[in-house]
Amino acid sequence: MTISERLTEDMKVAMKARDKKRLGVIRMVRSSMQNEAIKLGKNDLTEEEELTVLSREVKQRKDSLQEFKQAGRDDLVSDLREEINILNDYLPKQLTEEELETVVSETINEVDASGKSDMGKVMSAVMPKVKGKADGTQVNKEVMKQLS
């Protein structure tokens, strides 16, 4: 079952359960996916493209979460945390730190990177491997750590 199909099924369940929060988040994600499909000139997105949209939505919320925390808006912080949790249900299981370290070190060996000057080369090779499974900032920190 694709992410879009799961979203459609969960939307029906949320409607029947009158779960307004979950329903709103699911509708928003489906809308974002439709907009992405229109932008790409397609009817349906691939699994990878759906993951990209989901990851982007989670990242936007995490960024907003930081800003709301700094502004002291606790009411909005709790809402955003709930939305992030709902979105995380549709993302693949996240990599642990050890798994991420392994992927990064294998990739460094594959591309024969030797120092920080090879950062871009390593990042461009790692990101497709961990798409949807790890946050870009985590990957960046790990690559920096291993290239130092």
Side-chain angles (χ1 to χ4, degrees), residues 47-139:
E47 187 85 18
E48 189 174 312
E49 291 165 339
E50 289 176 343
L51 276 176
T52 301
V53 172
L54 265 176
S55 297
R56 183 181 328 135
E57 293 296 328
V58 170
K59 183 177 181 341
Q60 285 174 350
R61 276 160 185 72
K62 285 182 178 177
D63 291 345
S64 297
L65 188 69
Q66 294 302 322
E67 291 181 23
F68 289 150
K69 278 182 184 176
Q70 290 172 355
R73 296 292 310 266
D74 296 332
D75 54 328
L76 296 175
V77 168
S78 62
D79 283 347
L80 276 178
R81 280 200 179 116
E82 194 176 336
E83 287 183 20
I84 291 169
N85 289 335
I86 292 169
L87 291 173
N88 281 335
D89 291 344
Y90 299 98
L91 287 172
K93 182 182 162 288
Q94 299 294 296
L95 295 175
T96 63
E97 283 187 39
E98 295 78 29
E99 291 170 327
L100 183 59
E101 283 177 28
T102 305
V103 170
V104 170
S105 64
E106 287 172 358
T107 306
I108 287 173
N109 291 334
E110 284 173 20
V111 298
D112 198 31
S114 57
K116 287 188 178 184
S117 61
D118 296 324
M119 177 85 176
K121 189 166 49 168
V122 175
M123 286 296 291
S124 62
V126 170
M127 287 311 289
K129 294 179 183 180
V130 298
K131 187 167 201 104
K133 298 177 192 170
D135 185 46
T137 53
Q138 283 180 303
V139 175

